């Protein structure tokens, strides 16, 4: 027998199969999905490789090499998933397989894994009475020896260096005590703790909860999902329910049911909401033994352990961030993706997969339902669940009939939604208020400080791009072709559209109201903090943004500080809006909604609506009535109005009509062909060559190809970045054309330029 293998390396040229003979001793043990070692290249060095196919004989006339060793076994369906991903996301099959391997088993990492697993700790070598006796009869003589003994007695499990340090003695003294049997060294396994920040005691203290009696709406949703699970059939559900409508309670009960049916469950949450508070609810219902947790802060060893617990079926519930979807769950009964609209489900590094698409594939392979939960569903998900979406042309019917919508319209625990006030910043200017805080927000903060309640101030800072706006009437410059905000490029003093490259001169007089109050937008959190200190010198503040959140865990620390240390005001960027529950926060202020409304992206409105809804959800979570103040230069903007009314459906209707008219997803895919290079000359040449090549291959009637141009961030770490934007439907045929183009690129004599392809849109067609 002959195996077709793929070498586990990122080099694009190696993204193809090679034939290897299966030696007789491995006959019957090698399958599609085996991870093996094979001799490769000149030095016959052993390389990691994956078996992706088997056949009777090779087509090569020369003798082929033999597989050297079998290392790990993946499942057929994982290999077919990896192959599909490589096609869909334009990456190597091996890059996708890597996501599915047990963490920490790559040869390089083995040492490290063992190291962080065991330590040598020192214990008493005899029982306490014997030791007392030894001291009395003077067998343990010197003061130093006594000091060491008494230290270890109180601190069993310490290491030898710790003893030396704390008792100020030498290793020789410790060694003598060990030799004479008064102390002993035990190799101890450090208990890893993936539930981070929680020690055993805290876990013991969590009170068990029982399932609640579901409301009628909840019951209806639950039954629909449960029915599919029982029948072992795939079906996607969009569980659309306002914050507090009891989505999590449904997850808990459906998972409980899965376990009763001897099945397992995966719950994915955005990394940032995977907090101890959030886990508590699951531990309280199921205990911790059956729960596995996977997120990026775990050490390699912890991740390895969790992976093994899942593989062996000891853990039946997996809660994790996006890459947890690749864990080796057996007998999968349900996959749940909470906050399904969250952008963290889109991987930003290679392979750039969309977790929802992958989850759908996996749910189908396992014949189980997939639940997508959100208070502000992704426009595309919602679209596919509507009548129009279901009948959309160009998509196989069977693919769109999949999403069934389940609505929860009421809050489950009778608490009321916060009141939302929109403040017009133009009017503030007219009234002579030039500060970042409107009168209304100033007064509300003042009152809150007096009443000892907490405030969150939210400022959506754009890291790199600025836009310009008329402070008199709120006018901003939008691209005529694309209807997205144009970005100010300071060194050229020009406005540019990041999709089509359209350029405009900077305006100094507003074309709408003729005023000269034109302003460049992009104020930061630091400036806001200074201003707060000036206006409220007595207030204690804490800031959370990219600059303050750098260390491991410090996101969590800042939130804990805010909760526990009498801090009055939390100032922050997007990071403050997710998942947290602060009973004492009654006021949330949005400093300028305009900065996210004017993102240079077709999703600007959608992201703004989501953010405003989530921020509002932070205020008044319990008995206290919450208040939200949104400051903006565009109070009449429909996104802001819909956010004020907390009306998702109205927002959706308006926005989807816009998307349709301007041909944005879900009505069209946006394909980005990205280049980066250390040579400005080469990047221009190559991107032009790719542009010409695509132009000749893609049909003009169905694809709009814009000329190559610098990316929104046009240089990172001395590498230039260019891109080609293409609008059209990524059909099977088009997918092959793009792959063809990539292949040609790899075989061209390119020195420093790299090329990648991203697709935004439905991606349902491949
Ligand atoms: P969501 O996940 O939609 O934000 P949760 O499941 O967290 O909603 O529910 C919000 C609050 O309502 C929680 O405190 C929860 O315990 C409570 N709750 C949920 N379902 C019920 C129910 N059926 N009866 C009473 N309280 C409920
Ligand atoms: Zn104006
Ligand atoms: Zn444009």
């Amino acid at each position: 027998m002959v195996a077709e293998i793929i070498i586990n390396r990122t080099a694009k040229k190696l993204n193809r199969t090679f034939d290897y003979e299966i030696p007789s001793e491995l006959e019957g043990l090698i399958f599609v999905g085996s991870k093996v070692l094979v001799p490769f290249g000149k030095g016959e060095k052993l390389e990691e490789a994956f078996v992706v196919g088997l056949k009777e004989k090779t087509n090569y006339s020369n003798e082929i090499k033999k597989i050297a060793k079998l290392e790990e076994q993946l499942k057929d369906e994982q290999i077919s998933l990896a192959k599909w991903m490589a096609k869909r996301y334009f990456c190597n099959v091996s890059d996708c397989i890597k996501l599915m391997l047990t963490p920490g088993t790559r040869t390089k990492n083995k040492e490290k894994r063992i190291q962080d697993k065991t330590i040598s700790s020192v214990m008493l070598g005899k029982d306490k009475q014997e030791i007392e006796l030894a001291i009395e009869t003077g067998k343990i003589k010197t003061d130093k020896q006594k000091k060491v003994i008494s230290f270890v007695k109180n601190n069993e499990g310490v290491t030898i260096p710790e003893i030396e340090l704390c008792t100020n003695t030498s290793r020789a003294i410790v060694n003598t005590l060990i030799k004479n049997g008064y102390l002993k060294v035990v190799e101890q396994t450090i208990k890893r703790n993936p539930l981070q920040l929680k020690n055993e005691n805290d876990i013991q203290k969590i009170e068990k909860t029982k399932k609640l009696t579901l409301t009628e709406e909840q019951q209806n949703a639950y039954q629909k999902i449960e029915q599919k699970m029982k029948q072992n059939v795939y079906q996607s559900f969009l569980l659309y329910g306002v914050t507090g409508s009891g989505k999590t309670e449904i997850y808990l009960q459906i998972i409980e049911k899965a376990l009763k049916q001897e099945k397992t469950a995966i719950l994915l949450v955005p990394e940032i909401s995977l907090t101890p508070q959030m886990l508590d609810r699951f531990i309280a219902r199921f205990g911790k033994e059956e729960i596995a947790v996977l997120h990026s802060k775990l050490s390699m060893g912890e991740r390895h352990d969790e992976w093994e617990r899942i593989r062996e079926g000891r853990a039946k519930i997996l809660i994790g961030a996006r890459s947890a979807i690749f864990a080796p769950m057996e007998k999968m009964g349900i996959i749940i993706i909470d906050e399904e609209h969250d952008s963290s489900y889109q991987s930003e590094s290679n392979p750039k997969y969309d977790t929802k698409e992958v989850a759908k594939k996996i749910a189908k392979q396992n014949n189980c339902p997939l639940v997508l939960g959100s208070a502000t569903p992704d426009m595309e998900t919602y679209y596919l669940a509507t009548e129009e979406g279901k009948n959309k042309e160009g998509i196989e019917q069977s693919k769109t009939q999949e999403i069934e919508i389940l609505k929860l319209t009421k809050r489950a625990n009778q608490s009321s939604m916060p009141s939302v006030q929109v403040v017009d910043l133009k009017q503030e200017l007219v009234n002579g208020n030039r500060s970042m805080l409107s009168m209304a927000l100033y007064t509300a903060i003042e009152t809150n400080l007096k009443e000892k309640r907490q405030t969150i101030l939210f400022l959506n800072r754009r890291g790199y791009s600025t836009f310009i706006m008329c402070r008199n009437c709120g006018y901003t410059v939008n691209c005529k072709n694309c209807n997205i905000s144009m970005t100010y490029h300071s060194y050229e003093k020009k406005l540019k559209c990041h999709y089509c490259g359209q350029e405009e001169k900077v305006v100094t007089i507003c074309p709408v109201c003729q005023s000269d109050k034109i302003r460049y937008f992009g104020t930061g959190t630091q400036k806001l903090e200074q201003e707060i200190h000036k206006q409220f010198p007595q207030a204690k503040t804490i800031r959370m943004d990219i600059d303050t959140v750098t260390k491991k865990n410090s996101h969590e620390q800042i939130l804990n500080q805010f909760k526990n240390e009498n801090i009055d005001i939390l100032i922050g960027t997007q990071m403050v809006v997710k998942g947290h529950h602060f009973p004492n926060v009654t006021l949330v202020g949005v400093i300028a909604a305009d900065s996210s409304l004017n993102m240079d992206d077709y999703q600007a409105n959608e992201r703004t609506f989501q953010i405003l809804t989530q921020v509002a959800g932070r205020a008044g979570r319990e008995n206290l009535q919450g208040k939200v103040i949104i400051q903006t230069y565009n109070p009449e903007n429909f996104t802001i109005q819909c956010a004020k009314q907390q009306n998702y459906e109205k927002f959706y209707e308006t926005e989807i009509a816009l998307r349709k008219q301007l041909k944005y997803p879900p009505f069209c895919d946006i394909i980005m062909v990205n280049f980066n290079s250390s040579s400005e000359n080469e990047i221009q040449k190559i991107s032009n060559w790719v542009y010409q090549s695509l132009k000749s291959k893609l049909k003009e009637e169905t694809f709009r190809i814009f000329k190559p141009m610098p990316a929104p961030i046009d240089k990172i770490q001395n590498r230039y970045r260019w891109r080609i934007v293409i609008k059209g439907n990524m059909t099977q045929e088009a997918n092959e054309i793009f792959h063809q183009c990539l292949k040609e690129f790899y075989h061209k004599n390119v020195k420093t330029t790299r090329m990648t392809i991203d697709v935004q849109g439905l991606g349902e067609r491949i």
Side-chain angles (χ1 to χ4, degrees):
M1 283 290 268
V2 171
E4 294 179 314
I5 62 99
I6 282 186
I7 299 288
N8 183 10
R9 282 224 240 134
T10 352
K12 291 286 178 197
K13 280 188 183 155
L14 294 180
N15 192 28
R16 47 162 286 213
T17 59
F18 297 91
D19 287 356
Y20 276 79
E21 195 185 316
I22 300 176
S24 54
E25 71 270 20
L26 291 178
E27 203 82 57
L29 298 173
I30 302 267
F31 304 96
V32 170
S34 299
K35 186 175 107 184
V36 293
L37 296 180
V38 298
F40 189 76
K42 283 204 189 97
E44 300 275 300
K45 214 178 116 221
L46 289 188
E47 284 276 350
E48 233 170 61
F50 307 110
V51 177
V52 297
L54 294 172
K55 53 190 181 187
E56 290 290 326
K57 56 177 199 272
T58 178
N59 295 331
Y60 289 101
S61 47
N62 298 351
E63 202 186 324
I64 55 168
K65 295 177 194 170
K66 282 184 186 164
I67 290 177
K69 194 171 171 231
L70 171 64
E71 288 216 322
E72 185 176 347
Q73 188 63 48
L74 288 161
K75 291 183 243 165
D76 285 22
E77 66 234 37
Q78 288 179 299
I79 297 297
S80 69
L81 179 69
K83 283 183 180 167
W84 173 81
M85 285 173 71
K87 197 163 178 237
R88 165 81 178 99
Y89 305 117
F90 299 95
C91 57
N92 282 8
V93 178
S94 67
D95 292 338
C96 305
I97 293 179
K98 263 186 248 174
L99 295 166
M100 304 164 191
L101 294 175
T102 313
T105 50
R106 294 200 60 191
T107 343
K108 260 204 308 220
N109 293 325
K110 263 183 194 152
E111 294 295 314
K112 195 168 158 213
R113 183 163 64 77
I114 291 162
Q115 270 172 21
D116 71 16
K117 205 172 180 176
T118 54
I119 52 161
S120 306
S121 48
V122 181
M123 323 277 260
L124 290 182
K126 302 184 189 251
D127 68 39
K128 283 183 186 155
Q129 278 175 339
E130 268 182 88
I131 289 191
E132 293 296 331
L133 197 71
I135 293 173
E136 271 172 38
T137 59
K139 278 179 181 160
I140 296 173
K141 283 200 235 39
T142 65
D143 281 353
K144 290 220 160 166
Q145 285 181 335
K146 287 181 193 160
K147 202 167 162 192
V148 170
I149 288 288
S150 111
F151 178 72
V152 174
K153 203 164 82 185
N154 295 324
N155 300 283
E156 277 196 304
V158 289
T159 61
I160 295 179
E162 279 168 345
I163 300 174
E164 289 177 74
L165 193 77
C166 297
T167 61
N168 200 16
T169 51
S170 70
R171 181 161 297 214
I173 290 171
V174 181
N175 281 344
T176 309
L177 288 166
I178 293 171
K179 209 176 75 197
N180 295 335
Y182 296 113
L183 296 181
K184 65 180 177 194
V185 178
V186 182
E187 292 290 310
Q188 208 178 32
T189 311
I190 299 179
K191 242 196 174 166
R192 296 191 186 120
N193 175 18
L195 306 181
Q196 302 261 305
L197 309 168
K198 278 222 161 292
N199 57 38
E200 279 308 305
N201 287 342
D202 285 344
I203 292 175
Q204 299 299 330
K205 267 186 250 155
I206 299 173
E207 258 177 65
K208 277 247 156 209
T209 59
K210 284 225 178 65
K211 59 181 177 189
L212 303 169
T213 311
L214 296 179
T215 63
E216 211 177 302
E217 283 181 332
Q218 281 175 316
Q219 182 64 22
N220 172 51
Y222 170 84
Q223 271 173 350
K224 288 247 166 77
I225 302 167
E226 197 265 333
Q227 194 186 22
K228 295 290 172 185
M229 188 163 77
K230 200 160 78 194
Q231 297 167 349
N232 296 318
V233 289
Y234 162 75
Q235 168 80 46
S236 283
F237 292 99
L238 169 59
L239 181 60
Y240 157 51
V242 294
T243 35
S245 59
K247 296 186 290 296
T248 311
E249 183 60 33
I250 296 179
Y251 304 158
L252 286 161
Q253 298 202 15
I254 203 80
I255 291 172
E256 191 176 332
K257 193 70 178 191
L259 299 196
K260 276 220 184 87
Q261 296 177 9
E262 307 271 301
K263 292 172 183 162
T264 60
I266 295 185
L267 168 67
L268 298 183
V269 297
E271 171 93 33
I272 209 163
S273 9
L274 188 51
T275 59
Q277 275 170 312
M278 188 255 149
L279 287 174
D280 280 0
R281 268 182 91 175
F282 287 82
I283 297 172
R285 193 68 58 93
F286 300 106
K288 76 166 179 120
E289 291 309 318
E290 301 202 305
I291 299 179
V293 180
L294 285 171
H295 56 81
S296 69
K297 281 182 200 143
L298 300 187
S299 70
M300 181 77 77
E302 286 169 332
R303 217 170 304 175
H304 176 92
D305 289 358
E306 292 300 78
W307 207 268
E308 291 293 297
R309 287 176 63 220
I310 294 162
R311 189 199 303 289
E312 290 163 13
R314 281 181 284 148
K316 298 193 170 55
I317 305 166
L318 169 58
I319 303 178
R322 71 169 175 248
S323 63
I325 192 68
F326 297 105
M329 285 306 249
E330 293 286 348
K331 291 191 265 173
M332 200 153 352
I334 184 88
I335 303 176
I336 300 165
I337 302 186
D338 191 30
E339 311 265 10
E340 63 91 34
H341 61 276
D342 195 274
S343 54
S344 72
Y345 290 121
Q346 176 63 47
S347 161
E348 299 214 317
S349 57
N350 190 40
K352 296 184 174 177
Y353 61 92
D354 172 345
T355 313
K356 278 184 281 181
E357 274 179 22
V358 171
K360 197 184 248 189
K361 285 273 164 194
I362 294 178
K364 275 187 197 169
Q365 288 178 337
N366 287 277
N367 296 314
C368 75
L370 168 68
V371 177
L372 307 169
S374 178
T376 52
D378 183 328
M379 296 279 300
E380 290 169 28
T381 310
Y382 197 90
Y383 175 76
L384 286 176
T386 61
E387 278 314 304
E388 190 190 339
K390 282 187 199 300
N391 296 313
K392 185 172 163 54
E393 268 178 59
I395 298 187
E396 254 179 70
Q397 284 288 307
S398 64
K399 287 191 175 170
T400 56
Q401 299 290 357
E402 288 164 10
I403 303 187
E404 182 174 353
I405 197 162
L406 305 169
K407 290 189 193 181
L408 305 177
T409 57
K410 296 186 241 1
R411 280 204 160 177
N413 63 357
Q414 321 288 313
S415 66
S416 58
M417 300 293 266
S419 71
V420 183
Q421 183 185 353
V422 175
V423 173
D424 184 352
L425 288 174
K426 303 188 302 275
Q427 200 52 45
E428 294 295 312
L429 207 64
V430 171
N431 298 343
N433 177 6
R434 298 185 144 267
S435 96
M436 287 168 89
L437 303 179
S438 62
M439 258 334 275
L441 186 52
Y442 179 90
T443 317
I445 295 175
E446 199 177 34
T447 313
N448 239 27
L449 284 172
K450 259 191 221 129
E451 293 178 355
K452 300 239 173 295
R453 305 235 182 270
Q454 289 174 298
T455 302
I456 294 180
L457 296 180
F458 168 70
L459 198 143
N460 190 1
R461 183 177 60 164
R462 298 288 289 144
Y464 47 91
S465 71
T466 35
F467 61 100
I468 62 176
M469 178 189 274
C470 168
R471 291 231 274 173
N472 191 47
C473 74
Y475 168 81
T476 54
V477 186
N478 275 9
C479 172
K480 294 196 268 290
N481 310 321
C482 311
N483 194 36
I484 60 163
S485 181
M486 296 185 85
T487 302
Y488 177 61
H489 284 241
S490 58
Y491 68 94
E492 290 170 286
K493 298 220 168 13
K494 264 184 197 155
L495 294 167
K496 283 192 186 181
C497 168
H498 281 155
Y499 281 163
C500 73
Q502 176 81 19
E503 293 184 2
E504 297 284 343
K505 278 201 222 121
V506 171
V507 290
T508 47
I509 301 288
C510 173
V512 176
C513 73
Q514 271 71 44
S515 101
D516 60 356
K517 294 204 170 46
I518 298 286
R519 175 180 152 181
Y520 296 81
F521 236 76
T523 341
T525 41
Q526 221 168 338
K527 195 173 157 211
L528 175 61
E529 194 177 32
Q530 283 164 8
E531 184 142 345
I532 295 290
H533 284 165
K534 218 163 61 196
Q535 302 202 32
F536 303 101
Q538 77 280 23
K540 271 174 93 178
T541 65
I542 193 165
R543 184 158 61 92
M544 180 155 81
D545 56 25
I546 290 284
D547 305 329
T548 57
V549 177
T550 46
K551 278 177 291 161
K552 214 177 159 183
N553 280 341
S554 73
H555 170 256
E556 195 62 38
Q557 276 161 15
I558 292 174
L559 293 174
N560 278 338
Q561 256 175 292
F562 180 56
K563 198 167 176 184
N564 305 326
E565 294 178 16
N566 291 326
I567 286 170
D568 304 301
I569 304 174
L570 170 66
I571 297 169
T573 54
Q574 269 94 322
M575 294 175 199
V576 301
V577 303
K578 283 191 188 136
H580 275 273
H581 184 75
F582 303 109
N584 200 31
V585 171
T586 51
L587 173 65
V588 171
V590 179
I591 298 302
D594 309 83
S595 38
S596 70
L597 268 184
N598 287 291
M599 284 193 283
D600 46 5
D601 184 316
Y602 76 92
Q603 287 176 310
N605 290 335
E606 184 177 7
R607 296 281 176 239
T608 305
F609 184 81
Q610 288 164 357
I611 288 168
L612 293 180
T613 306
Q614 274 180 342
V615 188
R618 298 305 110 219
R621 298 273 292 183
E622 273 170 19
N623 308 328
L624 307 166
Q625 172 70 31
K627 186 180 174 94
V628 179
I629 296 180
I630 301 175
Q631 304 191 140
T632 174
Y633 288 94
N634 290 283
E636 301 309 323
N637 177 288
F638 82 89
T639 304
I640 289 175
Q641 284 302 317
C642 294
K644 177 182 153 88
Q645 296 154 17
Q646 295 289 291
N647 190 339
Y648 173 83
E649 272 138 59
K650 190 164 154 204
F651 169 76
Y652 170 84
E653 293 301 335
T654 317
E655 178 66 12
I656 202 80
L658 266 178
R659 297 257 182 112
K660 192 171 190 175
Q661 191 192 344
L662 295 158
K663 278 203 152 274
Y664 282 124
F667 302 97
C668 186
D669 297 328
I670 296 184
I671 302 139
M672 303 276 186
V673 182
N674 306 300
F675 302 90
N676 69 74
S677 172
S678 55
S679 155
E680 194 166 16
N681 187 24
E682 191 184 75
I683 203 170
Q684 292 188 20
K685 260 214 261 131
I686 293 289
S687 56
N688 259 308
W689 173 80
V690 172
Y691 171 71
Q692 295 302 343
S693 162
L694 285 173
K695 254 192 121 104
S696 69
K697 292 188 176 91
L698 293 169
K699 284 199 202 92
E700 213 175 311
E701 316 88 80
T702 43
F703 283 91
R704 265 194 88 180
I705 313 176
F706 297 102
K707 284 209 176 77
M709 59 170 168
I713 314 176
D714 50 16
K715 204 173 173 189
I716 294 181
Q717 291 173 338
N718 283 322
R719 287 185 74 84
Y720 296 90
R721 293 152 50 96
W722 280 58
R723 71 183 191 189
I724 301 171
V725 180
I726 300 159
K727 278 175 146 189
N729 285 347
M730 187 54 103
T731 55
Q732 189 77 25
E733 194 191 349
N735 178 271
E736 269 148 36
I737 290 174
F738 280 96
H739 275 286
Q740 185 60 36
C741 191
L742 265 176
K743 235 188 223 148
E744 285 169 17
F745 170 82
Y746 297 136
H747 289 95
K748 252 180 108 65
N749 186 18
V750 178
K751 289 209 179 65
T752 83
T753 307
R754 285 185 219 130
M755 170 175 159
T756 59
I757 300 173
D758 292 349
V759 186
Q760 301 175 337
L762 289 183
E764 286 285 312
R765 307 175 185 88
I766 293 151

